[in-house]
Each structure stands twice: as structure tokens, then as C-alpha cells.
Amino acid sequence: MNYRHSYHAGNFADVVKHSLQWLVLDYLGQKDKPYWVLDTHAGIGMYDLQGEQAQKTGEATDGIARLLGRDDIPAVLQSYVAQVQQLNPTGELRWYPGSPWFSAEQLRAQDQLVLCELHPQDSLALAANVKQEFATAGSIKVLTETNGYAALKGLLPPPIKRGLVLIDPPFEQRDELQTLVAALDAATKRWATGVYAVWYPIKDPLSIGDFHQQVAQLKHVQKAYAVDILIRDAQGPQTLNGCGMLFINPPFGLLQQVDEVMNYLTPLLAQGRGAQWQGVWLT
């Protein structure tokens, strides 16, 4: 309960996570049929990069700021970048949206979005931001002070057959990867056809390898694809050397475009030698 994403908003991991999230939702929105989104660890949805917490770390400087300063952004990333730019119309980078905002921006009248946040203060801030800042045609429901893992049990299968579950835990607990595996096991048993997107930090590559193997062995997981990026050579198990996104039932639109996205972002977000990415089918 100590984690506050406002210290890390707009960093390299956010750029990777939200650009891929945008592609998934863009693909789901290409059909007229409605879709449903559950964000299990939603945060507050909007972050002030000039606020005290963001300024304390300055992580956005090596993240979204690098991307906004480019004039060669590929077409596949332009919609994502445009969402950030419209929040900063003067060109000065102050606001960075969280995953709830990106989801809300793509929501149509027939779609539904459910946001969960456990932290008491952050969940209230999320509810306020949804009410004041999120312009959307669809339906948004905020579950304040709600454990996202518990929400998976209570909300799946959803009322709409198509959709995305976005899981982005704070990783405060040492056994978070094991918790994720158990949650995915239970969730895919209830809703095997949904798209799942799971963000994770890469500190110790061996633990990530074990995580991948455990996901591959889950009974109800037929298709699993992992996108991992390292921004430098490993600097020890306590250092954030990169991050990954695990996709269960990855949509075709994502698979078509992931190479172009990651080939562009990896050298751009590099913070030392050894920056690289890989996409791996786990099942």
C-alpha cells in the first residue's frame, strides 16, 4: 500500500505499456460489437509531471519526454503520442495519463470500463478524475478501495463476451509473480477467451523466466505471448533493468505491429549498453 505511481508516471515502462495497450484496444474497436475492459490496478488515471512526486524522480525525462521530442514517430505510435500531446497543448510536458485514461479515450457508446484501485487516497483521486477529466461515450465504473485480484473473481466472466483485462500490480510483495500466476489460472478458467495484458518489471531475468514457464503450463491458457524490453545490461536484482508485457490471447492487430513499435522504442528508451527487446510465444 506504499506504492504511488505518481513517482514513476511517464517513465520508459509507461511508454511501453500504454503504447501496446493502445494497439490492443484499437484492434478491439475495429468491430462494431461491444467490448469490456477491466483495469485491476488503475492508479489515479492522470499525473502531474510537475508535481512534487514526479519531480523527485524525474523518470518521465527518460520516458515520454524522449518520444515527444522526436519528428520521426512511426504511424503505429502516432495515435498514442497524440493523446499525450492533446493534454499538453502548449508543448510543455506537464500531464501524463494513466491506463484508465487511455482506455476511456477509446471507449464507444456500447463499451464498458471497470476500474479498480486499492489505495484509499488514490482510489478517491481516480473517481474524481473520471468524473472531471475523462471524456467518453461509454460506461465507466470505478470500484474504490478494491483489490483487483478479488475483482477478477467477482467480475469474470463479464457481461460482454469480448474484452481486455489489464493487470499492472505495484509489485510490493516478493511473491507477486506467484500471485499473478494464481490469478491468471483462476481468471482464465472463468473467462478463457478474453484478452489479458499483464505488466511486470524485469529485475532478475531468472525469475521472469520461471514466471513465463508457469504461465505456459496453465490449463486454460492456449495462446500466450510475452514482450520483454531491457533498457541496459542488468545492474543487479534490485534495479529496474526493463519490463515486460504478457498477453494471453493476443489480438492479431497487436502481433502485426509489435515489431515496428518495439524496434523504434528500444533504442529510443535505452539507458545504457545492452538495450534490447524480444517477443516470445510461451504457448
Side-chain angles (χ1 to χ4, degrees):
M1 293 293 291
N2 295 319
Y3 179 86
R4 309 297 292 277
H5 191 65
S6 50
Y7 287 98
H8 312 287
N11 67 358
F12 81 91
D14 268 358
V15 171
V16 173
K17 174 175 59 182
H18 294 145
S19 59
L20 296 180
Q21 174 193 348
W22 187 267
L23 292 181
V24 172
L25 291 175
D26 180 69
Y27 184 77
L28 290 176
Q30 290 177 12
K31 294 184 178 180
D32 291 335
K33 294 180 180 179
Y35 65 79
W36 179 87
V37 179
L38 171 62
D39 194 333
T40 62
H41 300 74
I44 66 174
M46 186 66 67
Y47 299 92
D48 184 356
L49 298 182
Q50 295 182 13
E52 180 181 355
Q53 294 173 339
Q55 287 289 306
K56 189 171 184 178
T57 62
E59 292 184 17
T61 301
D62 290 325
I64 188 60
R66 291 189 181 184
L67 188 56
L68 294 184
R70 302 285 292 200
D71 58 6
D72 62 346
I73 298 172
V76 69
L77 284 168
Q78 286 177 5
S79 293
Y80 158 68
V81 173
Q83 303 310 308
V84 182
Q85 289 175 328
Q86 76 177 40
L87 292 172
N88 301 278
T90 66
E92 181 183 16
L93 181 57
R94 177 169 184 178
W95 301 103
Y96 186 80
S99 55
W101 192 90
F102 286 109
S103 295
E105 280 296 298
Q106 291 182 283
L107 218 60
R108 305 163 302 173
Q110 64 268 41
D111 304 325
Q112 297 179 15
L113 171 62
V114 180
L115 306 172
C116 302
E117 177 53 47
L118 182 59
H119 194 286
Q121 291 175 292
D122 284 1
S123 66
L124 292 177
L126 173 64
N129 281 331
V130 166
K131 185 176 181 179
Q132 297 174 13
E133 305 291 342
F134 293 7
T136 176
S139 170
I140 302 179
K141 185 176 183 180
V142 179
L143 303 180
T144 56
E145 297 189 50
T146 298
N147 185 305
Y149 292 126
L152 283 172
K153 296 180 180 179
L155 298 176
L156 298 183
I160 298 174
K161 293 182 179 180
R162 303 171 65 239
L164 167 69
V165 174
L166 179 63
I167 306 175
D168 177 18
F171 284 88
E172 290 184 307
Q173 306 300 322
R174 290 186 178 182
D175 62 348
E176 193 76 60
L177 290 174
Q178 288 71 35
T179 301
L180 270 172
V181 172
L184 290 171
D185 187 26
T188 52
K189 182 177 180 180
R190 290 179 172 86
W191 192 33
T193 59
V195 178
Y196 296 81
V198 182
W199 181 89
Y200 50 87
I202 299 179
K203 297 181 178 179
D204 175 16
L206 292 179
S207 65
I208 298 303
D210 290 342
F211 170 61
H212 286 173
Q213 289 183 0
Q214 292 175 48
V215 170
Q217 294 170 1
L218 295 180
K219 180 179 180 180
H220 300 281
V221 173
Q222 302 300 317
K223 295 181 179 180
Y225 182 77
V227 178
D228 289 352
I229 178 174
L230 294 176
I231 58 171
R232 57 176 162 255
D233 287 327
Q235 296 183 354
Q238 303 304 316
T239 302
L240 183 64
N241 300 302
C243 68
M245 287 284 281
L246 165 71
F247 294 94
I248 295 175
N249 301 321
F252 181 66
L254 171 70
L255 298 174
Q256 274 188 313
Q257 300 174 96
V258 67
D259 284 7
E260 185 178 3
V261 169
M262 298 307 298
N263 285 338
Y264 180 81
L265 290 180
T266 300
L268 178 67
L269 299 175
Q271 295 183 25
R273 292 184 177 181
Q276 59 182 299
W277 82 277
Q278 64 174 359
V280 179
W281 281 102
L282 307 183
T283 58

